[in-house]
Amino acid sequence: LCPCHSSLATIALAFISVWVGSDVIAATPAEQTTRPNVLFIISDDLGDRLACYGDPVAVTPHLDRLAKKGVIFANNFCQFPTCGPSRASMLSGLYPFENGCVSNKNEPFSKSVPDVVSLPALFRNNGYFTARVGKIFHMGIPDGIGSKGGDDDDAWDVAVNNTGYEASLENWKNATHVGKTQRAGVRVVYDNPDIDDEEMADGQGLVDAVRILKENNPDATGKPFFLAYGIYSPHPPMIVPTKHWEATDRAKYEMPFVPGNDRDDIPRINWHVKGPGFDFIPETHAVNYSHAYYAAVHFVDELAGRLIQELENEGLADNTIIVFTGDQGFHLGEHGHWHKSTMFEEAARVPLIVVDPRQKEKGKKCSSLSGLIDIYPTLCELTGVEPLHELSGVSLVPQLSDVHAPGKEYEITMGAPSGYGIRTKRYRYTEWRKAKRGPAEQAMLYDLETDPHEFTNLIDDPAYAEIKQELSEKLGSAIAGGKASTADAPTDEFLPKQDTLPVPPPEGAIVLFDGTDTVEFVNMNGGPVDWEVTEGSLVSKRGKRRTNHIVSNWHFRDADIHAEFMLPESGTGNSGLYIHGLYEMQIIHSEGKDKVGESDMGALYGFSNPLASAGRPRSQWQVYDIRYRAPVRGPDGKITKEGSITAWLNGQKVQDNARFGEPRSNYHPYRYGTTDYLQSIWQRQKQMMVGPLFLQDHDNPVRFRNVWIRPLDDQSMRYESENR
């Protein structure tokens, strides 16, 4: 371009940028010159009992004001109605049945999923200053007030563990109890001491949060911040300063109606926490305890409001995303219960208010279903920070632009012991299973349109048989797939047909071996294979010290992989499919075993045991169908996003979105029996993340037939050896 045309082009591009930018709220946050800060506030045991959610008793002026600046997610649910698992799910972006955290054991989810990066760790790794004040990870309460908590993953530049009046065992003993107890946190206990807010752990936490906010103003530090303020209240014991009791009108509170036969059709297993002090307490205690809860909600509102005001005083509100939420709900006498941990609405519903200064929608309610699991992907999209593992939630950014934008079709909540629940706009359905993929032993079904208080369990009502079947299937599919469905989600499910063999290749598949002339493999030196083709099968020929694998000529990134095989009449038949030459799906005799491990058929070696013993007898053809998603490597060669495998063996799912990072096998072909040819494709693979499929020789011969791949993206190529 000549100079005059160049200037005109610049002006035109600037005009287009302004015009487009005026209608986009957060689609490209990474392009902002200043990355947005994040203020994350979470309150313990706080259901959606706020005035801005329509609660007639709650006095929450500060949160009401916050809601007018953002979007209220009116149908938001936790993924587990207990503190530890709920927070682990939210901070990992995975469901409890994916990250292994299903109790309050205070163990980090990294123990079960070591490659998963927590939300604060991700922001710290991306240049954010991260700080925690109070309870963000579990940190058992009340015993844990003032301690770190065993599940905290040290993802913080600064971490503060506050203590105060409510942390004193002596103060618990002096409070009002229902029943005799030494441990107030798991019983009905309440008190209203005449003390200042700052004498409470939560009040002291506010002082520290304000100090950290001021000391780390990005204008001075040059770094955006991720500040997480965890409020213990209204978690029991319900000890709240007097002024908050006085701010709440107890006369507005009405005891919830509980039919005399309410529990007749509720499975006993639904009541995770049992014992005196939780069920049908005397009315005087009931009213006082509820008053204490709403006083604690007022305390939470005051704390959150003061911190947000300090954010505004520092001039940071225009570039700070604010998230306010709770970790699970709380019963105040509904179904005669005075705690949490059930699979009812009161325990599962939690508030979620999101404020982004750039959003179009302000002061509106979004009725779409959402969950705490959606916070991780939402903050990633709003800030432009890329997650390093596949997240099971969905971003709520579309709803910040339009509260009527399509959202989830349903949300999943898991509960102890072994409860799995699905919540649609109209129904709540819950199953209890002895095993994740086992049959439902007990169940509940409620039509929330006609029975919003969940008084009538419809599980045995023949009029709802089809609804029950539909919800049970959706629940099973969600658990198997690890994601809640969205209304506009793709319907291309990976459900391979393995009952009639051989399986014809689908459209778009690349055939690697067809039983006759097509042998799209080379040996480990890049030359012709010396495996025998007989009776339509390719028979593995053992080399010395695992040096006779064969390598596909076609290389791919993400793909569906199909291979049929038959074990020899004796021996283990130990073999495998090495995907990309790095990740091995085991082929080894394990038919009839009660318990299978990483060295059995169906295992992703080094990463994940089979979900079932799915091997067939030696004389039968067996088949793998594998959906493979490759990991992603950054410019430095390190994995920035882990891969995943879902696999079916002989009609049974044996791997369910199993995740993997760096290979763990000492015997993969690039380490064991490496040749110049393998080194060349390995170097290319590390750069492009495109690699071959290996068929493994190992032990006594295995027959292969009908091997094909179907690329799932455009990253596939033919890669022939020069020696051929």
Side-chain angles (χ1 to χ4, degrees):
L1 291 175
C2 69
C4 61
H5 287 164
S6 177
S7 299
L8 288 172
T10 301
I11 294 170
L13 285 172
F15 174 78
I16 291 170
S17 298
V18 170
W19 177 72
V20 173
S22 67
D23 198 40
V24 176
I25 57 119
T28 56
E31 297 175 5
Q32 302 292 330
T33 55
T34 303
R35 290 185 292 172
N37 309 301
V38 177
L39 176 59
F40 179 77
I41 305 174
I42 183 169
S43 173
D44 207 345
D45 285 7
L46 178 67
D48 60 355
R49 301 178 191 266
L50 306 176
C52 54
Y53 274 79
D55 191 288
V57 181
V59 180
T60 53
H62 298 290
L63 292 174
D64 299 346
R65 176 172 171 260
L66 179 69
K68 291 179 180 178
K69 297 180 178 180
V71 168
I72 298 172
F73 289 89
N75 285 299
N76 189 66
F77 298 90
C78 66
Q79 275 52 71
F80 204 109
T82 306
C83 303
S86 175
R87 290 166 183 261
S89 175
M90 176 182 65
L91 295 168
S92 67
L94 304 176
Y95 285 101
F97 49 81
E98 295 176 307
N99 64 26
C101 293
V102 294
S103 70
N104 278 340
K105 290 183 178 179
N106 277 349
E107 292 182 347
F109 53 74
S110 59
K111 187 172 182 178
S112 299
V113 281
D115 296 325
V116 169
V117 179
S118 73
L119 180 62
L122 179 71
F123 274 79
R124 191 182 190 191
N125 294 343
N126 278 271
Y128 274 70
F129 166 80
T130 60
R132 169 183 67 76
V133 178
K135 181 178 178 180
I136 301 301
F137 287 85
H138 175 224
M139 187 191 296
I141 291 181
D143 312 60
I145 295 178
S147 64
K148 171 189 168 184
D151 57 341
D152 196 310
D153 69 350
D154 295 317
W156 315 101
D157 293 300
V158 174
V160 180
N161 304 311
N162 306 104
T163 188
Y165 186 93
E166 69 269 52
S168 165
L169 179 60
E170 195 63 33
N171 291 335
W172 306 345
K173 292 179 179 179
N174 293 334
T176 301
H177 292 247
V178 177
K180 295 181 179 179
T181 182
Q182 295 296 313
R183 189 169 182 267
V186 291
R187 291 292 182 270
V188 172
V189 177
Y190 57 91
D191 197 7
N192 58 343
D194 187 12
I195 60 175
D196 293 331
D197 288 354
E198 286 72 21
E199 296 180 61
M200 301 281 287
D202 284 330
Q204 187 56 53
L206 173 64
V207 173
D208 288 315
V210 170
R211 173 182 55 80
I212 292 170
L213 180 71
K214 292 181 176 181
E215 291 176 353
N216 293 276
N217 188 315
D219 293 340
T221 65
K223 294 180 68 173
F225 62 73
F226 182 104
L227 172 58
Y229 175 38
I231 303 172
Y232 303 120
S233 293
H235 192 292
M238 238 58 98
I239 298 176
V240 191
T242 301
K243 70 175 186 178
H244 300 291
W245 280 64
E246 294 174 345
T248 309
D249 186 359
R250 64 185 290 155
K252 290 184 177 181
Y253 177 75
E254 295 182 3
M255 288 282 290
F257 171 70
V258 181
N261 63 347
D262 182 37
R263 294 199 181 191
D264 291 354
D265 59 0
I266 301 173
R268 288 181 58 84
I269 199 171
N270 181 61
W271 308 101
H272 171 48
V273 183
K274 307 180 184 69
F278 281 127
D279 295 338
F280 301 105
I281 63 177
E283 185 170 350
T284 300
H285 284 303
V287 174
N288 288 342
Y289 194 58
S290 298
H291 186 190
Y293 186 91
Y294 279 107
V297 170
H298 184 269
F299 185 29
V300 169
D301 178 80
E302 179 78 13
L303 295 167
R306 287 168 61 186
L307 181 56
I308 293 168
Q309 184 61 55
E310 290 294 340
L311 180 83
E312 295 174 357
N313 294 345
E314 286 289 301
L316 297 170
D318 290 341
N319 194 40
T320 299
I321 298 159
I322 303 174
V323 174
F324 177 86
T325 190
D327 59 357
Q328 79 273 311
F330 201 87
H331 284 261
L332 291 179
E334 296 84 6
H335 303 286
H337 192 58
W338 296 88
H339 204 56
K340 50 194 172 185
S341 302
T342 73
M343 296 293 279
F344 285 123
E345 288 282 291
E346 288 82 11
R349 297 181 72 97
V350 289
L352 177 62
I353 302 172
V354 179
V355 175
D356 184 315
R358 302 162 294 182
Q359 70 195 56
K360 290 176 65 176
E361 297 280 42
K362 296 183 179 181
K364 294 184 179 180
K365 286 186 178 180
C366 175
S367 62
S368 298
L369 297 169
S370 61
L372 295 182
I373 198 166
D374 301 327
I375 291 175
Y376 198 135
T378 301
L379 286 177
C380 284
E381 183 170 355
L382 288 176
T383 59
V385 172
E386 289 290 334
L388 298 181
H389 62 275
E390 186 176 358
L391 302 174
S392 293
V394 300
S395 172
L396 302 175
V397 168
Q399 285 72 36
L400 299 181
S401 294
D402 177 5
V403 293
H404 303 295
K408 290 182 174 180
E409 180 186 353
Y410 54 79
E411 186 53 270
I412 301 297
T413 297
M414 185 180 176
S418 63
Y420 298 87
I422 183 170
R423 171 60 155 84
T424 68
K425 290 184 178 180
R426 179 168 179 174
Y427 299 101
R428 174 173 289 282
Y429 174 74
T430 304
E431 294 180 349
W432 283 271
R433 307 172 175 187
K434 284 187 176 180
K436 176 179 172 182
R437 290 167 185 80
E441 306 235 329
Q442 298 184 40
M444 299 190 306
L445 171 63
Y446 295 96
D447 185 340
L448 300 173
E449 186 175 290
T450 61
D451 181 24
H453 300 294
E454 300 171 289
F455 289 149
T456 305
N457 184 3
L458 301 169
I459 200 64
D460 295 322
D461 189 331
Y464 286 83
E466 290 187 12
I467 295 295
K468 171 190 171 183
Q469 181 66 25
E470 177 187 346
L471 294 177
S472 181
E473 290 176 359
K474 285 183 177 180
L475 178 62
S477 177
I479 294 170
K483 284 179 180 275
S485 171
T486 57
D488 54 356
T491 58
D492 182 22
E493 292 190 65
F494 181 53
L495 297 173
K497 304 293 185 182
Q498 300 182 336
D499 49 351
T500 303
L501 301 180
V503 177
E507 183 178 353
I510 299 170
V511 177
L512 303 179
F513 176 68
D514 67 356
T516 55
D517 300 328
T518 302
V519 183
E520 289 285 349
F521 289 94
V522 295
N523 66 28
M524 293 172 68
N525 289 302
V529 300
D530 62 354
W531 288 20
E532 182 181 7
V533 177
T534 178
E535 298 179 352
S537 61
L538 191 59
V539 185
S540 65
K541 182 176 181 181
R542 186 177 183 182
K544 184 179 180 182
R545 297 172 62 84
R546 303 185 183 93
T547 58
N548 200 29
H549 303 344
I550 58 175
V551 190
S552 68
N553 261 328
W554 283 91
H555 292 200
F556 55 90
R557 185 172 67 188
D558 299 343
D560 288 340
I561 302 165
H562 177 92
E564 298 169 21
F565 56 91
M566 183 185 291
L567 300 176
E569 289 300 322
S570 62
T572 64
N574 188 3
S575 190
L577 306 178
Y578 262 116
I579 307 172
H580 279 198
L582 297 172
Y583 308 103
E584 181 184 1
M585 290 296 298
Q586 288 276 40
I587 296 174
I588 190 169
H589 183 62
S590 57
E591 187 256 339
K593 292 183 68 172
D594 293 332
K595 186 176 182 180
V596 283
E598 72 167 15
S599 295
D600 289 306
M601 192 181 295
L604 175 57
Y605 185 77
F607 288 94
S608 180
N609 293 346
L611 300 174
S613 180
R616 288 174 174 160
R618 297 173 183 276
S619 59
Q620 296 183 18
W621 282 101
Q622 314 201 45
V623 58
Y624 267 132
D625 275 290
I626 303 163
R627 173 153 287 183
Y628 173 84
R629 300 286 188 182
V632 176
R633 293 186 184 272
D636 59 357
K638 294 182 179 179
I639 289 178
T640 59
K641 182 179 181 180
E642 60 188 359
S644 66
I645 280 179
T646 297
W648 292 72
L649 172 63
N650 302 325
Q652 295 189 61
K653 186 175 281 187
V654 289
Q655 295 296 330
D656 185 3
N657 200 30
R659 292 179 169 87
F660 52 84
E662 293 291 350
R664 294 176 181 171
S665 170
N666 291 322
Y667 305 110
H668 71 69
Y670 303 120
R671 286 181 180 166
Y672 204 106
T674 301
T675 65
D676 291 342
Y677 175 68
L678 294 189
Q679 283 289 358
S680 69
I681 65 173
W682 172 226
Q683 292 305 315
R684 182 170 182 172
Q685 180 175 330
K686 285 192 289 187
Q687 295 174 3
M688 303 179 64
M689 291 312 297
V690 173
L693 175 70
F694 287 66
L695 302 185
Q696 183 189 55
D697 74 314
H698 194 343
D699 204 7
N700 41 348
V702 171
R703 293 175 176 268
F704 292 89
R705 73 175 189 189
N706 195 23
V707 183
W708 45 261
I709 59 173
R710 180 176 65 167
L712 298 175
D713 53 33
D714 59 359
Q715 299 299 308
S716 61
M717 66 192 72
R718 190 177 175 88
Y719 186 80
E720 294 195 63
S721 166
E722 296 177 359
N723 299 327
R724 229 184 142 185

